[in-house]
Amino acid sequence: MFVNVSALKNQGIDELIESIMLQAEVLDLQANPERHAEGVVIEAKVERGRGPVASVIVQTGTLKRGDHVVLGSAYGRVRAMIDHRGKQIKEAGPSTPVELFGLSSLPNVGDALAVVVNEKNARTLAGHRAKEQRN
């Protein structure tokens, strides 16, 4: 499928959105909210009083407050999540952008988010990823 789009001239945006929605409906594209969350880091920063903060988009599954996560070579337990409106939330389903607090270090943009069972597994996986990155 091909759609002519120009952001400068503001042309074809509606047709692009319509064609994406059509493809999603025809191909029955849906994420499973019943599994562990997976996503990607889109922004990372250090905030005074909060420590390392990562903005992520949950791609599949549901991310819950208290989950143990690994983001590249960073790991931690989700202490709090803030949605795009600035409100604290307890769960983030598929295609939801959130800010995560409670990380050990600052992840890189583009790092994958993965939920693990416990902190020991999170540390092990983060250490393995850090070692691969150094090599």
Side-chain angles (χ1 to χ4, degrees):
M1 183 176 280
F2 181 79
V3 178
N4 288 319
V5 177
S6 173
L8 294 175
K9 297 178 183 176
N10 199 19
Q11 295 175 341
I13 305 298
D14 293 332
E15 291 83 8
L16 177 64
I17 293 172
E18 187 177 313
S19 64
I20 291 171
M21 296 301 289
L22 177 66
Q23 287 290 323
E25 186 176 325
V26 169
L27 297 173
D28 194 29
L29 301 177
Q30 295 180 348
N32 181 3
E34 302 300 322
R35 58 181 288 196
H36 288 298
E38 293 178 6
V40 65
V41 177
I42 55 173
E43 183 181 12
K45 60 189 173 200
V46 178
E47 289 186 3
R48 179 174 286 181
R50 294 182 172 174
V53 177
S55 298
V56 301
I57 292 183
V58 178
Q59 294 173 321
T60 65
T62 301
L63 183 64
K64 299 176 182 121
R65 191 169 51 193
D67 282 348
H68 295 279
V69 294
V70 178
L71 302 129
S73 59
Y75 66 93
R77 185 170 185 209
V78 179
R79 284 188 295 154
M81 288 188 293
I82 296 180
D83 68 2
H84 63 283
R85 294 186 180 112
K87 295 184 180 183
Q88 281 206 5
I89 57 175
K90 294 181 181 181
E91 292 184 342
S95 76
T96 305
V98 292
E99 284 188 338
L100 300 180
F101 302 97
L103 303 174
S104 64
S105 61
L106 200 61
N108 294 321
V109 173
D111 282 345
L113 172 132
V115 174
V116 293
V117 178
N118 55 31
E119 187 176 353
K120 181 181 177 185
N121 291 352
R123 285 184 189 193
T124 304
L125 182 57
H128 178 71
R129 287 182 178 178
K131 184 178 178 183
E132 277 187 7
Q133 192 174 26
R134 280 192 304 268
N135 289 339

